[in-house]
Each structure stands twice: as C-alpha cells, then as structure tokens.
Amino acid sequence: GLFAGSGSIAMSDPHMAQAVLSLLPRHHPRHDDPNEDVNLLYLGTATYDLERFKRKQTRRFEEMGCRIRSLDVANGSFARSA
C-alpha cells in the first residue's frame, strides 16, 4: 500500500507519483511508454475540484504518460429532490 497525509503536497511530488504507478501490475509493454495504457480517474472534493488544484495533483502522472480523467463531485449545480 501507499499512504500520504496531504494529497496536494504528496501527489505533486514526482517520487510519490512513481510510487503509485509502481503498484500497478505490469504487462509486457507494447510501446516505448509503459504508462501509455494507464488511465487515472481523479476524484476531487471541495477545493480539489478546482482546476488549479486538480492540475497540481495530476500533473506528474500526465508527465509520466498517464491519461487523466476527473469526476468533479463538489463543482456544478446540486439538484435537490422534492
């Protein structure tokens, strides 16, 4: 496992990003970039849904060739049921 106290600081560290990726099972890479097939789903909450914080926490993974998608749970409108 891998544990970090502060998401914003920890996930912007290139060593932490590499440690996260090292937890993935490795298949025989078909391409030069072993992370080309890695999809990262970023689950932001509260201020981490804001673009600058999201970018800070995912930048290192993107630099390592991962595809980033996000599920913003705090931004947008909230519909209250009757």
Side-chain angles (χ1 to χ4, degrees):
L2 182 68
F3 304 91
S6 171
S8 182
I9 294 170
M11 299 313 287
S12 62
D13 184 306
H15 300 292
M16 182 65 78
Q18 186 58 50
V20 169
L21 294 176
S22 74
L23 296 172
L24 296 173
R26 287 291 174 197
H27 302 286
H28 298 289
R30 295 180 302 252
H31 308 287
D32 292 333
D33 185 357
N35 295 323
E36 182 179 40
D37 294 330
V38 174
N39 292 293
L40 183 138
L41 178 62
Y42 177 78
L43 300 172
T45 58
T47 58
Y48 292 140
D49 274 357
L50 297 174
E51 190 60 36
R52 69 182 180 137
F53 294 109
K54 184 187 319 181
R55 176 78 178 125
K56 183 177 181 181
Q57 291 193 20
T58 60
R59 179 181 69 222
R60 300 298 180 188
F61 293 96
E62 189 173 29
E63 290 170 355
M64 293 179 185
C66 301
R67 282 178 265 157
I68 311 296
R69 300 285 185 261
S70 66
L71 176 60
D72 296 339
V73 296
N75 284 342
S77 61
F78 174 75
R80 179 176 258 167
S81 60

